[in-house]
Structure formats: structure tokens, C-alpha cells
Amino acid sequence: RDATRRNGGKKLSLLIFLSASGTMHHRSFLATPLIVVAFGTMAQCFLPWPLRSFRRFATARLAESILPEFAWRAREGCWRPDVRDVEKISWGQPAKKKRTGSRGTPHRLNEEERRAFDQARRNGYLQVTGSAWRAQRRDAPLLNSYRSLCDARAKPMIVLHKLRPCSYSDKLVDKLVVDLSPLRLPRDYQMLELRLVEVILAEFGIQCESLDEILTSDGEDDDEEDANELRPIYRIPSHFIMWNVDRQQGKQIGKYLGNVFNTAEPKSSSAKKPKGNKPGKGRRSGGYGIG
């Protein structure tokens, strides 16, 4: 009341009222609400981290429930691109981090490839028509961009190649391909591949294609270890696992493997074209063939 009278009859806030108290007892009492406020602020700042930890734990549990005793890992501390730079070079813009792209390896996407790229980020696996080859660029920019994205996220690349149906035969025509090279651990490829082949055979009854020919990576090669440590992904050879599937099986297995490796980004939105972004020129038109 005395503090209110001294302030001309106006109401005071709690902190001003406590500050107006002159004794040491009231000053020591002032520290209590300040500590509570500070603790509450810190709790709000660190609140997202437990939620993120829970989400990672739930993802790990999901993988274990699908594949019992299945474990996989990716190399840490090696050179990898940034996701933001991968998105920029997919629009034909320069990346901040050197070696993210290359003039000899096209990454720029057209409208159709952009839709497939955005859909692949949400679904966890990429769907392409045929080999995704684009004659104007003499390469497959969609596969290059998606492989760089998987390398930035340290995830295997899962691609469903939708081939033309055979009208004269009931043979399985589509191919589901898993590329383990974004993990950058050649020593683990053989063990991981054998495990995936066993699981897909047990769950879907589909045998891997040409297993003996695919297991060719040499984990003891020091040059290969150095390449996976320092080189960009387009300078590293791929390591494929392939299955012959029909369209429905390919989508089911692609979604299944996407859950196992946690490759899906459900909250990923469709990328918008940057302002002032101009179409690139091919080599035949005097350009560098980046797009």
C-alpha cells in the first residue's frame, strides 16, 4: 500500500512491487520469481528436443518391428552436400558448398521431373519412367539430384523404374533398385545386401536379380575408402540391389523400404521456382548443359 501511495495511487506490477521493498528480506524474496521465470524460459527453449528424440526413437522402433534385429548405419564425418544446396542446383543455381554439383553431371530438373522429385521426398522412394534418361542433357538429372539428396541425408536411394508392360507375356517388367552408395560404407554393403534380400524374399516372395554379379564391392580397398570419405557422390560408384516386380509390388516394397530406412519426408512441401530463375542452355546451344 505504501508503494502504491508513493506511485500516485497507480497499481504496480509484481516485479516493481518487489523492487520497491527496501529490506534485504524482500530482495532475497525477489530472486525466487526471477529464477522461476528463467527456468520456465529455458524449459520452453529445450521443449522441442525431447520431442525430436521421441520421434527418432519411434522411427527406430518402427524399423525394428518391420525388420527384427535389422541394423544399418551411414558414415559420419565425411564430405556430404547440404540439402539446401541440392535444392539450389536442382533449379540450376550455384551452391554455396563447393563440389555439390558438376558441369559434367546435370542436376537441373524440368517441370515433370520436379513433380516426381517432390513426390519422392514425401513418399520415401522415387518413381521414374524407364531409366529417366533425358536426351537433351545426355544423362538422367532426376536420378542425379535424388541421389545427391539421399547423400545429403545419409540414406539409401530407392527407385522404382516403371517400364513398358509386355503385352505378349506376363513377365514382371518393373525394376525396384536400391543404391547403397549414399551410406558411404563399402565394408557394410555385402552384409546389408544379404539381409535385405532375405527380408524381401520372406515378406514378399521375390528373389533378388543376379545376386552373385552384384556383390562385387571390395571393402578392403584403401582407395575406395578414401573416395567415400572425400569425394562427392557423383564421383563414387553405385552399389545396386535390384528386384523384378510388378507395379503394385514395386510400390509396396518401395514404401516398405522407405519406412525401414526412414527416407520419407511427410512435411516436405513442393518447391517453388526462385525469382529470376532462367532456363539453362544445352551444350548444343552454347551452354554448359547444367539443366
Side-chain angles (χ1 to χ4, degrees):
R1 292 178 181 178
D2 295 338
T4 304
R5 292 194 189 104
R6 289 195 298 269
N7 197 42
K10 297 180 179 180
K11 294 182 179 180
L12 302 178
S13 63
L14 178 62
L15 292 180
I16 296 177
F17 172 74
L18 294 174
S19 301
S21 303
T23 61
M24 293 299 295
H25 172 73
H26 290 88
R27 291 183 179 178
S28 61
F29 179 72
L30 175 63
T32 303
L34 293 178
I35 293 175
V36 173
V37 172
F39 180 78
T41 304
M42 293 176 61
Q44 292 179 358
C45 294
F46 288 98
L47 181 60
W49 292 105
L51 296 178
R52 293 177 186 176
S53 301
F54 174 77
R55 184 162 60 248
R56 292 172 183 171
F57 177 74
T59 302
R61 289 291 299 273
L62 176 63
E64 291 177 1
S65 63
I66 294 177
L67 298 180
E69 301 179 359
F70 181 85
W72 64 277
R73 58 177 184 167
R75 184 186 295 272
E76 298 180 355
C78 61
W79 189 94
R80 291 186 185 276
D82 296 329
V83 175
R84 179 56 182 163
D85 283 342
V86 174
E87 295 174 349
K88 292 180 68 175
I89 65 174
S90 70
W91 288 104
Q93 296 183 336
K96 292 184 178 180
K97 197 172 185 179
K98 292 184 177 179
R99 299 188 297 170
T100 301
S102 171
R103 296 188 183 275
T105 305
H107 291 85
R108 186 167 184 165
L109 308 178
N110 57 25
E111 294 183 3
E112 182 179 356
E113 293 169 343
R114 175 68 55 185
R115 288 193 294 268
F117 183 80
D118 293 337
Q119 183 181 7
R121 298 187 66 173
R122 293 189 294 268
N123 295 342
Y125 67 99
L126 178 65
Q127 300 183 50
V128 299
T129 303
S131 62
W133 181 269
R134 186 137 58 95
Q136 294 85 351
R137 301 306 181 190
R138 303 179 185 178
D139 207 330
L142 179 55
L143 294 180
N144 296 335
S145 292
Y146 190 66
R147 190 177 182 220
S148 296
L149 177 66
C150 294
D151 182 40
R153 301 183 62 218
K155 308 284 186 181
M157 184 177 71
I158 307 171
V159 183
L160 175 61
H161 293 267
K162 298 184 289 186
L163 308 180
R164 294 181 179 179
C166 298
S167 58
Y168 57 86
S169 175
D170 295 334
K171 184 179 179 181
L172 303 177
V173 294
D174 291 352
K175 287 186 179 294
L176 183 71
V177 181
V178 177
D179 184 8
L180 302 179
S181 60
L183 300 180
R184 294 176 178 260
L185 285 175
R187 298 175 184 269
D188 294 356
Y189 290 168
Q190 184 172 353
M191 179 186 65
L192 182 58
E193 181 172 353
L194 290 173
R195 184 63 179 138
L196 283 177
V197 170
E198 292 176 358
V199 169
I200 298 301
L201 181 60
E203 293 290 336
F204 299 94
I206 300 177
Q207 178 64 49
C208 177
E209 178 185 0
S210 303
L211 180 61
D212 296 335
E213 297 179 3
I214 297 175
L215 296 177
T216 56
S217 62
D218 185 6
E220 302 297 332
D221 190 358
D222 295 336
D223 294 337
E224 188 176 5
E225 288 292 330
D226 294 340
N228 284 273
E229 182 75 25
L230 304 174
R231 294 180 183 177
I233 191 66
Y234 52 83
R235 300 296 184 190
I236 298 176
S238 302
H239 187 93
F240 295 125
I241 313 173
M242 293 183 290
W243 291 271
N244 289 326
V245 296
D246 59 27
R247 189 66 47 83
Q248 187 65 23
Q249 287 177 335
K251 293 181 178 180
Q252 291 177 354
I253 299 176
K255 185 177 181 180
Y256 180 84
L257 294 178
N259 291 332
V260 170
F261 293 108
N262 192 24
T263 56
E265 300 177 78
K267 297 183 179 180
S268 176
S269 58
S270 300
K272 296 182 179 180
K273 185 177 180 179
K275 294 183 180 180
N277 195 54
K278 298 181 180 180
K281 293 183 178 181
R283 292 185 179 90
R284 299 177 182 177
S285 301
Y288 294 99
I290 300 177

